[in-house]
Amino acid sequence: MYNPMMIIDGRPVLASDGSVHKILNPATGELVGEVPSGGRQEAHQALTAASRAFPAWAATSPGKRADVLHQAASLVRELADEMAVMLTLEIGKPLRASRREVLGSADVLDYFAEEGKRAFGEWTISGAGKSRSLVIRQPIGVAALISPWNYPVDLLSWKVGAALAAGCTAVAKPSSMAPIAASAFIEAINRSGAPPGVINLVLGPGSTAGAELVESPLSQKISFTGESATGRWIMAAAAPRLKRLSLELGGSAPFIVCADADVKSAAEACVQRAFNNAGQICISVNRVYLHHDVEEEFMELAIQRAGRLRVGSGMEDVDLGPLASEEQRKRTREHIEDALSRGARLRLGGSEPEGEQYSRGHFFLPTILDRVDHSMRVMREETFGPVMPVMTFKNLEEAVRLANQTEYGLAAYAYTNSLDAAVYLAERLESGGVGINSNNVVDLQAPFGGWKQSGFGRELSHHGLEGYLELKHVKIGL
Ligand code: NAD
């Protein structure tokens, strides 16, 4: 049983009214832990502590801030096995994926520790030569860091690493669905020399604890990852005080396979990206577009490969764990039923796996559909489940038109061996990240974020650090 507590001003805290929230294992339904369920009051206390800690942390040298972050990265690596088990038990993902996620979060802390030292300034001479312009970057203030359940540790580390390296203090609020490993992550930073109040942890519902972090005059920056609908609410709630915002929202990534592509590697990459984390990734492949000429070969390879994926408890040696909740599974089922009722063809999966070992969890088989079109929900909405819907195209113009026919714009992938086609697609696909012969658009050194309804602002890289800094022009008369 895991029973993390909130951390406010460096101290462990329970909910003032004693409320707790139970976390159940999505593979078995068993109780994994009980976490305090805080509300507006705890969020306010945490923001107050962060405000108090801000001036000293902002004035701490980037090198000293880096020492804390490096130390925390080492501690997270030491705790990786333990934290990976927490993650798998609370959210279902296979243990080796959980371990990768935890170790990745340590890398993020190390990366921002060093990037914080490179918040460079500028120095220019005025036109008449009578003054100098100094441009400096300074931390915005107190940041509210609100994260979702699908990568609870990694996505939180993107925010915490950048905020703390920039000199902001922060309040982290992980999702109520997966707060255990994220709490251990924040605790590790508190145990690594972060002064009290620099990084606080509030656990509780978005509608109360989250809303207070957004609405309170004590927060100057909101960094949010989650659903587009929540993002819209947050933007409106932050408007009266014109708060700085980064919104990382939903996605609907297209995967284009051109006639000249290496079909085998495209099929492998597509299956991997569609079913990784059981499809519960904002950059998961949501829509596959195949050139007519490669359809047969691609489908045969993809069905073979996806058919070999092992489904089961994340504590076993499997490729797909259960979905995180029954709600996820219900939506997956509904999207498949809707597609089939409109003429799609089921090529693989389409149901829960059979057997006693699956009876208490939210398991679902990797599913491949073809003959889909854009009237179907599976092509228009985020399924967030293990479904790979496939349709065909005749030429690149059509592929681009179909790929861009969505309100989202987070990631897009294209496989081709033609340089011309690669550039054509990379320049026309409307999304914050484009993978050319690559099924991943995440890299520590590169900006990550969305276009259109997938949000705005960037995480990772020096652009991610910028999100926590304000520019100041200091004009020096001579
Ligand atoms: P969600 O929007 O339901 O919740 C995200 C977080 O916001 C949680 O911590 C929740 O408690 C909090 N929250 C909810 N209402 C709030 C409010 N009114 N005020 C303040 N906070 C509030 O999202 P989710 O279901 O946890 O995550 C899945 C979604 O996240 C998917 O749409 C997915 O695409 C998206 N996502 C996006 C990215 C990205 O980088 N763009 C990455 C991962 C997930």
Coordinates of all heavy atoms in Angstrom, one line a residue, residues 166-216:
A166 N 14.7 27.7 -14.1 CA 14.5 29.1 -14.5 C 14.5 30.0 -13.3 O 14.6 31.2 -13.4 CB 13.2 29.3 -15.3
G167 N 14.3 29.4 -12.1 CA 14.3 30.3 -10.9 C 12.9 30.5 -10.4 O 12.6 31.3 -9.4
C168 N 11.9 29.8 -11.0 CA 10.5 29.9 -10.5 C 10.4 29.0 -9.3 O 11.1 28.0 -9.2 CB 9.5 29.5 -11.5 SG 9.3 30.7 -12.9
T169 N 9.4 29.2 -8.4 CA 9.0 28.2 -7.4 C 7.7 27.7 -7.9 O 7.1 28.3 -8.8 CB 8.9 28.8 -6.0 OG1 8.0 30.0 -6.1 CG2 10.2 29.3 -5.5
A170 N 7.2 26.6 -7.4 CA 6.1 25.9 -8.1 C 5.2 25.1 -7.1 O 5.7 24.7 -6.0 CB 6.6 25.0 -9.2
V171 N 4.0 24.9 -7.6 CA 3.1 23.9 -7.0 C 2.7 22.9 -8.0 O 2.2 23.3 -9.1 CB 1.8 24.6 -6.4 CG1 0.9 23.5 -5.8 CG2 2.1 25.7 -5.5
A172 N 3.0 21.6 -7.8 CA 2.7 20.6 -8.7 C 1.4 19.9 -8.3 O 1.2 19.6 -7.1 CB 3.8 19.5 -8.7
K173 N 0.5 19.7 -9.3 CA -0.7 18.9 -9.0 C -0.8 17.8 -10.1 O -1.3 18.0 -11.2 CB -1.9 19.8 -9.1 CG -3.1 19.1 -8.3 CD -4.5 19.5 -8.8 CE -4.9 18.8 -10.0 NZ -5.1 17.3 -9.9
P174 N -0.5 16.6 -9.7 CA -0.6 15.5 -10.6 C -2.1 15.1 -10.7 O -2.9 15.5 -9.9 CB 0.2 14.4 -10.0 CG 0.7 14.9 -8.7 CD 0.1 16.2 -8.4
S175 N -2.4 14.3 -11.7 CA -3.8 13.8 -11.8 C -4.2 12.9 -10.7 O -3.4 12.1 -10.2 CB -3.9 13.0 -13.1 OG -5.0 12.2 -13.1
S176 N -5.4 13.0 -10.3 CA -5.9 12.2 -9.2 C -5.9 10.7 -9.5 O -6.0 9.8 -8.7 CB -7.4 12.5 -8.8 OG -7.5 13.9 -8.6
M177 N -5.9 10.4 -10.8 CA -5.8 9.0 -11.3 C -4.5 8.3 -11.0 O -4.4 7.1 -11.0 CB -6.2 8.9 -12.7 CG -7.7 8.8 -13.0 SD -8.1 8.9 -14.7 CE -7.4 7.3 -15.4
A178 N -3.4 9.1 -11.0 CA -2.1 8.5 -10.9 C -1.1 9.5 -10.1 O -0.2 10.0 -10.7 CB -1.5 8.3 -12.3
P179 N -1.4 9.6 -8.8 CA -0.6 10.5 -8.0 C 0.5 9.9 -7.3 O 1.3 10.6 -6.7 CB -1.7 11.0 -7.0 CG -2.6 9.9 -6.8 CD -2.6 9.1 -8.1
I180 N 0.7 8.6 -7.3 CA 1.6 8.0 -6.3 C 3.1 8.2 -6.7 O 3.9 8.7 -6.0 CB 1.3 6.5 -6.1 CG1 -0.1 6.4 -5.5 CG2 2.3 5.8 -5.2 CD1 -0.7 5.0 -5.4
A181 N 3.4 7.7 -8.0 CA 4.8 7.8 -8.4 C 5.2 9.3 -8.6 O 6.3 9.7 -8.3 CB 5.0 7.1 -9.7
A182 N 4.2 10.1 -9.0 CA 4.5 11.6 -9.2 C 4.8 12.2 -7.8 O 5.7 13.1 -7.7 CB 3.3 12.3 -9.8
S183 N 4.1 11.7 -6.8 CA 4.4 12.2 -5.4 C 5.8 11.9 -5.0 O 6.6 12.7 -4.4 CB 3.4 11.7 -4.4 OG 2.1 12.1 -4.7
A184 N 6.2 10.6 -5.3 CA 7.6 10.2 -5.0 C 8.6 11.1 -5.7 O 9.7 11.4 -5.2 CB 7.8 8.7 -5.3
F185 N 8.3 11.5 -6.9 CA 9.2 12.3 -7.7 C 9.4 13.7 -7.0 O 10.5 14.2 -6.8 CB 8.6 12.4 -9.1 CG 9.4 13.4 -10.0 CD1 10.6 13.0 -10.6 CD2 8.9 14.6 -10.3 CE1 11.3 13.8 -11.4 CE2 9.6 15.5 -11.1 CZ 10.9 15.1 -11.7
I186 N 8.3 14.3 -6.6 CA 8.4 15.6 -6.0 C 9.1 15.5 -4.6 O 9.9 16.3 -4.2 CB 6.9 16.2 -5.8 CG1 6.3 16.4 -7.2 CG2 7.0 17.6 -5.1 CD1 7.0 17.4 -8.1
E187 N 8.8 14.4 -3.9 CA 9.4 14.2 -2.6 C 11.0 14.1 -2.8 O 11.7 14.6 -2.0 CB 8.9 12.9 -2.0 CG 9.3 12.8 -0.5 CD 9.0 11.4 0.0 OE1 8.0 10.7 -0.4 OE2 9.7 11.0 1.0
A188 N 11.4 13.4 -3.9 CA 12.8 13.2 -4.2 C 13.5 14.6 -4.3 O 14.6 14.8 -3.8 CB 13.0 12.4 -5.4
I189 N 12.8 15.5 -5.0 CA 13.4 16.9 -5.1 C 13.5 17.6 -3.8 O 14.5 18.2 -3.5 CB 12.6 17.7 -6.2 CG1 12.5 16.9 -7.5 CG2 13.3 19.0 -6.4 CD1 11.6 17.6 -8.5
N190 N 12.4 17.4 -3.0 CA 12.5 18.0 -1.7 C 13.6 17.4 -0.8 O 14.1 18.1 0.1 CB 11.1 17.9 -1.0 CG 10.2 19.0 -1.3 OD1 10.3 20.1 -0.8 ND2 9.3 18.8 -2.3
R191 N 13.9 16.1 -1.0 CA 15.0 15.5 -0.2 C 16.4 15.8 -0.8 O 17.4 15.4 -0.3 CB 14.8 14.0 -0.2 CG 13.7 13.5 0.7 CD 13.3 12.1 0.5 NE 14.5 11.2 0.6 CZ 14.5 9.9 0.2 NH1 13.5 9.4 -0.4 NH2 15.6 9.2 0.4
S192 N 16.4 16.6 -1.9 CA 17.7 16.8 -2.5 C 18.2 18.2 -2.4 O 19.0 18.7 -3.2 CB 17.6 16.5 -4.0 OG 17.2 15.1 -4.2
G193 N 17.8 18.9 -1.4 CA 18.3 20.2 -1.1 C 17.5 21.4 -1.6 O 17.9 22.5 -1.5
A194 N 16.3 21.1 -2.2 CA 15.4 22.2 -2.5 C 14.9 22.9 -1.3 O 14.3 22.2 -0.4 CB 14.2 21.7 -3.4
P195 N 15.1 24.2 -1.1 CA 14.6 24.8 0.1 C 13.1 24.7 0.3 O 12.4 24.6 -0.7 CB 15.0 26.3 -0.1 CG 16.1 26.3 -1.1 CD 15.8 25.1 -2.0
P196 N 12.6 24.7 1.5 CA 11.1 24.5 1.7 C 10.3 25.5 0.9 O 10.7 26.7 0.8 CB 10.9 24.8 3.2 CG 12.3 24.5 3.8 CD 13.3 24.8 2.8
G197 N 9.2 25.1 0.3 CA 8.4 26.0 -0.5 C 8.8 26.1 -2.0 O 8.0 26.6 -2.8
V198 N 10.0 25.6 -2.3 CA 10.4 25.8 -3.7 C 9.6 24.9 -4.6 O 9.1 25.3 -5.7 CB 11.9 25.5 -3.9 CG1 12.3 25.3 -5.3 CG2 12.7 26.7 -3.3
I199 N 9.4 23.6 -4.2 CA 8.5 22.8 -5.0 C 7.5 22.1 -4.1 O 7.9 21.3 -3.2 CB 9.3 21.8 -5.9 CG1 8.3 20.8 -6.6 CG2 10.3 21.0 -5.1 CD1 7.5 21.5 -7.7
N200 N 6.2 22.5 -4.2 CA 5.2 21.9 -3.3 C 4.4 20.9 -4.1 O 4.3 21.0 -5.4 CB 4.3 23.1 -2.9 CG 5.1 24.2 -2.2 OD1 5.4 24.1 -1.0 ND2 5.5 25.2 -2.9
L201 N 3.7 20.1 -3.4 CA 2.8 19.1 -4.0 C 1.4 19.1 -3.5 O 1.2 19.0 -2.2 CB 3.4 17.7 -3.7 CG 2.6 16.5 -4.1 CD1 2.5 16.3 -5.6 CD2 3.1 15.2 -3.5
V202 N 0.4 19.3 -4.3 CA -1.0 19.3 -3.9 C -1.7 18.2 -4.6 O -1.5 18.0 -5.8 CB -1.7 20.6 -4.2 CG1 -3.2 20.5 -4.0 CG2 -1.1 21.7 -3.3
L203 N -2.4 17.3 -3.8 CA -3.1 16.2 -4.4 C -4.6 16.5 -4.3 O -5.0 17.0 -3.2 CB -2.8 14.9 -3.7 CG -1.3 14.6 -3.7 CD1 -1.0 13.4 -2.8 CD2 -0.8 14.2 -5.2
G204 N -5.4 16.3 -5.3 CA -6.8 16.6 -5.2 C -7.5 16.8 -6.5 O -6.8 16.8 -7.6
P205 N -8.8 16.9 -6.6 CA -9.5 17.1 -7.8 C -9.1 18.3 -8.6 O -8.8 19.4 -8.0 CB -11.0 17.1 -7.4 CG -11.0 16.8 -6.0 CD -9.7 17.0 -5.4
G206 N -9.2 18.3 -9.9 CA -9.0 19.4 -10.7 C -10.0 20.5 -10.5 O -9.6 21.7 -10.5
S207 N -11.2 20.1 -10.2 CA -12.3 21.1 -10.0 C -12.1 22.0 -8.8 O -12.7 23.1 -8.7 CB -13.6 20.4 -10.0 OG -13.6 19.5 -8.9
T208 N -11.3 21.6 -7.8 CA -11.1 22.4 -6.6 C -9.7 22.8 -6.5 O -9.3 23.9 -6.7 CB -11.6 21.6 -5.3 OG1 -11.0 20.4 -5.3 CG2 -13.1 21.5 -5.3
A209 N -8.8 21.8 -6.2 CA -7.4 22.1 -6.0 C -6.8 22.7 -7.3 O -6.1 23.7 -7.2 CB -6.6 20.8 -5.6
G210 N -7.1 22.1 -8.4 CA -6.6 22.6 -9.7 C -7.1 24.0 -10.0 O -6.4 24.9 -10.4
A211 N -8.4 24.2 -9.8 CA -9.0 25.5 -10.1 C -8.4 26.6 -9.3 O -8.2 27.7 -9.7 CB -10.5 25.4 -9.9
E212 N -8.1 26.3 -8.0 CA -7.5 27.3 -7.1 C -6.1 27.7 -7.6 O -5.8 28.9 -7.6 CB -7.4 26.7 -5.7 CG -6.8 27.7 -4.7 CD -7.7 29.0 -4.4 OE1 -8.9 28.9 -4.7 OE2 -7.1 30.0 -4.0
L213 N -5.4 26.7 -8.1 CA -4.0 27.0 -8.6 C -4.1 28.0 -9.8 O -3.3 28.8 -10.0 CB -3.3 25.7 -9.0 CG -3.0 24.7 -7.9 CD1 -2.3 23.5 -8.5 CD2 -2.1 25.4 -6.8
V214 N -5.2 27.8 -10.6 CA -5.4 28.6 -11.8 C -5.9 30.0 -11.5 O -5.4 31.0 -12.0 CB -6.3 27.9 -12.8 CG1 -6.6 28.8 -14.0 CG2 -5.8 26.5 -13.3
E215 N -6.9 30.0 -10.6 CA -7.6 31.3 -10.4 C -6.9 32.2 -9.3 O -7.1 33.4 -9.4 CB -9.0 31.0 -9.8 CG -9.9 30.4 -10.9 CD -11.2 29.8 -10.4 OE1 -11.3 29.6 -9.2 OE2 -12.1 29.6 -11.2
S216 N -6.1 31.6 -8.4 CA -5.5 32.4 -7.4 C -4.6 33.5 -7.9 O -3.8 33.3 -8.8 CB -4.7 31.5 -6.4 OG -3.9 32.3 -5.6

